[in-house]
Amino acid sequence: MNQIKVSLSTLLLTFCLSCSAQDAPFYAVQEFFAALSVPDQTKMRALVTEDFQLLEQGEDWHLDDLLKLLKPSDTKRRNFFNVLRSEANGDVAWVSYWNRAVITNGEKSRAVVWLESAVLRKQSGVWKIQMLHSTRLPIDKLPAGVTLTEYVAK
Protein backbone atom coordinates (compact mmCIF):
# COMPACT_ATOMS: atom_id res chain seq x y z
CA MET A 1 0.00 0.00 0.00
CA ASN A 2 2.83 2.41 0.87
CA GLN A 3 4.49 1.66 -2.46
CA ILE A 4 1.26 2.63 -4.26
CA LYS A 5 1.10 5.91 -2.28
CA VAL A 6 4.71 6.71 -3.14
CA SER A 7 4.12 5.94 -6.82
CA LEU A 8 0.96 8.05 -6.90
CA SER A 9 2.71 10.92 -5.10
CA THR A 10 5.61 10.78 -7.55
CA LEU A 11 3.21 10.81 -10.51
CA LEU A 12 1.28 13.81 -9.12
CA LEU A 13 4.48 15.72 -8.35
CA THR A 14 5.79 15.12 -11.87
CA PHE A 15 2.46 16.26 -13.34
CA CYS A 16 2.43 19.43 -11.18
CA LEU A 17 6.02 20.32 -12.08
CA SER A 18 5.21 19.84 -15.76
CA CYS A 19 2.13 22.04 -15.49
CA SER A 20 3.91 24.81 -13.65
CA ALA A 21 6.74 24.85 -16.22
CA GLN A 22 4.22 25.25 -19.03
CA ASP A 23 2.44 28.03 -17.12
CA ALA A 24 5.68 29.98 -16.55
CA PRO A 25 6.33 32.92 -18.90
CA PHE A 26 9.74 31.56 -19.98
CA TYR A 27 8.07 28.45 -21.43
CA ALA A 28 6.81 30.61 -24.33
CA VAL A 29 10.39 31.75 -25.03
CA GLN A 30 11.71 28.18 -25.00
CA GLU A 31 8.93 27.01 -27.29
CA PHE A 32 9.54 29.97 -29.63
CA PHE A 33 13.18 28.98 -30.10
CA ALA A 34 12.20 25.32 -30.50
CA ALA A 35 9.78 26.38 -33.26
CA LEU A 36 12.46 28.61 -34.81
CA SER A 37 14.80 25.61 -34.94
CA VAL A 38 12.47 23.43 -37.00
CA PRO A 39 11.23 25.96 -38.48
CA ASP A 40 7.53 25.96 -37.60
CA GLN A 41 6.11 29.34 -38.61
CA THR A 42 2.58 28.50 -37.46
CA LYS A 43 3.78 27.71 -33.94
CA MET A 44 5.99 30.80 -33.87
CA ARG A 45 2.94 32.97 -34.73
CA ALA A 46 0.94 31.29 -31.95
CA LEU A 47 3.62 32.15 -29.38
CA VAL A 48 3.75 35.91 -30.00
CA THR A 49 1.33 38.81 -29.72
CA GLU A 50 -0.06 40.55 -32.82
CA ASP A 51 2.27 43.51 -32.20
CA PHE A 52 5.42 41.39 -31.60
CA GLN A 53 8.68 43.33 -31.85
CA LEU A 54 12.17 41.85 -32.19
CA LEU A 55 15.16 44.07 -31.47
CA GLU A 56 17.98 42.18 -33.15
CA GLN A 57 21.52 43.59 -33.31
CA GLY A 58 20.38 47.20 -33.51
CA GLU A 59 17.48 46.56 -35.90
CA ASP A 60 13.73 46.72 -35.30
CA TRP A 61 12.01 43.64 -36.74
CA HIS A 62 8.51 42.26 -36.78
CA LEU A 63 7.67 38.58 -36.93
CA ASP A 64 7.28 38.61 -40.72
CA ASP A 65 10.83 39.98 -41.07
CA LEU A 66 12.14 36.99 -39.15
CA LEU A 67 9.93 34.47 -40.92
CA LYS A 68 11.18 35.63 -44.33
CA LEU A 69 14.67 34.46 -43.33
CA LEU A 70 13.57 30.96 -42.31
CA LYS A 71 13.91 28.29 -44.95
CA PRO A 72 13.75 24.52 -44.60
CA SER A 73 17.29 23.12 -44.55
CA ASP A 74 19.48 20.34 -43.23
CA THR A 75 20.77 22.66 -40.51
CA LYS A 76 20.05 21.50 -36.96
CA ARG A 77 19.84 23.88 -34.02
CA ARG A 78 20.00 22.94 -30.34
CA ASN A 79 18.96 25.57 -27.79
CA PHE A 80 20.44 26.07 -24.32
CA PHE A 81 19.25 28.60 -21.72
CA ASN A 82 20.06 30.08 -18.35
CA VAL A 83 17.45 32.40 -16.83
CA LEU A 84 18.99 35.36 -15.04
CA ARG A 85 15.78 36.87 -13.74
CA SER A 86 12.05 36.54 -14.26
CA GLU A 87 9.27 38.77 -12.95
CA ALA A 88 5.51 38.62 -13.45
CA ASN A 89 2.89 41.14 -12.43
CA GLY A 90 -0.64 40.29 -13.46
CA ASP A 91 -0.78 39.69 -17.20
CA VAL A 92 2.69 41.16 -17.91
CA ALA A 93 6.04 39.45 -17.35
CA TRP A 94 9.65 39.95 -18.32
CA VAL A 95 12.60 37.63 -18.30
CA SER A 96 16.33 38.03 -18.93
CA TYR A 97 18.42 35.04 -19.93
CA TRP A 98 21.47 33.64 -21.65
CA ASN A 99 20.77 31.84 -24.91
CA ARG A 100 23.27 29.58 -26.63
CA ALA A 101 22.58 27.75 -29.86
CA VAL A 102 24.66 24.97 -31.32
CA ILE A 103 24.09 25.01 -35.07
CA THR A 104 25.14 21.99 -37.09
CA ASN A 105 25.13 21.52 -40.83
CA GLY A 106 26.68 18.24 -41.92
CA GLU A 107 30.15 18.02 -40.41
CA LYS A 108 30.30 21.72 -39.48
CA SER A 109 29.15 22.90 -36.08
CA ARG A 110 29.28 26.30 -34.39
CA ALA A 111 28.03 27.83 -31.15
CA VAL A 112 26.42 31.26 -30.91
CA VAL A 113 25.65 33.15 -27.67
CA TRP A 114 23.15 35.91 -26.95
CA LEU A 115 22.15 37.88 -23.89
CA GLU A 116 18.42 38.39 -24.27
CA SER A 117 15.34 39.76 -22.60
CA ALA A 118 11.67 39.29 -23.35
CA VAL A 119 8.45 41.02 -22.38
CA LEU A 120 5.44 38.72 -22.31
CA ARG A 121 1.72 39.30 -22.05
CA LYS A 122 -0.83 36.76 -20.85
CA GLN A 123 -3.68 36.49 -23.36
CA SER A 124 -6.60 34.14 -22.69
CA GLY A 125 -4.53 32.45 -20.00
CA VAL A 126 -1.50 31.85 -22.26
CA TRP A 127 1.85 33.68 -22.08
CA LYS A 128 2.85 35.22 -25.43
CA ILE A 129 6.01 37.11 -26.35
CA GLN A 130 5.36 40.77 -27.07
CA MET A 131 8.96 41.96 -27.34
CA LEU A 132 12.27 40.15 -27.62
CA HIS A 133 15.61 41.96 -27.35
CA SER A 134 18.69 40.09 -28.49
CA THR A 135 22.37 40.99 -28.20
CA ARG A 136 24.74 38.57 -29.91
CA LEU A 137 28.08 38.17 -28.17
CA PRO A 138 31.35 36.44 -29.00
CA ILE A 139 31.25 32.91 -27.56
CA ASP A 140 34.09 33.74 -25.14
CA LYS A 141 31.95 36.52 -23.55
CA LEU A 142 29.65 33.97 -21.89
CA PRO A 143 30.61 34.39 -18.21
CA ALA A 144 32.49 31.53 -16.58
CA GLY A 145 30.27 29.48 -14.33
CA VAL A 146 27.06 30.03 -16.29
CA THR A 147 25.33 26.69 -16.64
CA LEU A 148 23.08 26.39 -19.66
CA THR A 149 20.41 23.73 -19.90
CA GLU A 150 19.28 22.31 -23.21
CA TYR A 151 15.61 22.74 -23.99
CA VAL A 152 13.98 20.03 -26.07
CA ALA A 153 10.36 20.64 -27.05
CA LYS A 154 7.90 18.09 -25.74
Side-chain angles (χ1 to χ4, degrees):
M1 184 66 147
N2 283 341
Q3 190 173 17
I4 292 172
K5 287 180 184 177
V6 170
S7 296
L8 185 57
S9 295
T10 302
L11 179 64
L12 288 173
L13 178 61
T14 302
F15 176 75
C16 290
L17 289 175
S18 172
C19 289
S20 64
Q22 291 179 2
D23 291 339
F26 192 62
Y27 178 74
V29 175
Q30 292 172 304
E31 285 290 295
F32 182 82
F33 282 102
L36 174 80
S37 300
V38 178
D40 182 341
Q41 294 187 7
T42 302
K43 185 162 188 177
M44 289 175 70
R45 282 192 191 283
L47 291 163
V48 301
T49 60
E50 289 289 323
D51 61 344
F52 172 77
Q53 178 184 29
L54 171 62
L55 301 174
E56 178 74 28
Q57 291 303 112
E59 295 183 16
D60 180 14
W61 293 7
H62 300 279
L63 184 61
D64 288 334
D65 299 323
L66 177 60
L67 296 180
K68 287 177 194 172
L69 299 176
L70 299 179
K71 308 278 188 252
S73 73
D74 293 332
T75 301
K76 304 292 181 209
R77 176 182 166 136
R78 295 172 52 209
N79 300 294
F80 301 79
F81 301 100
N82 176 288
V83 175
L84 296 168
R85 196 163 160 197
S86 181
E87 298 283 336
N89 186 3
D91 66 348
V92 176
W94 65 266
V95 61
S96 57
Y97 57 95
W98 288 103
N99 178 357
R100 180 176 60 129
V102 175
I103 301 164
T104 306
N105 191 346
E107 297 290 319
K108 296 180 183 178
S109 183
R110 65 185 173 103
V112 184
V113 172
W114 298 267
L115 180 59
E116 298 182 327
S117 59
V119 176
L120 299 101
R121 184 167 299 277
K122 200 172 222 183
Q123 296 179 339
S124 301
V126 177
W127 287 107
K128 294 189 174 201
I129 306 167
Q130 186 170 27
M131 191 276 298
L132 184 63
H133 181 263
S134 179
T135 303
R136 187 171 172 175
L137 298 170
I139 193 76
D140 62 343
K141 295 298 180 188
L142 179 67
V146 171
T147 302
L148 296 128
T149 303
E150 184 172 10
Y151 179 76
V152 179
K154 307 297 183 250

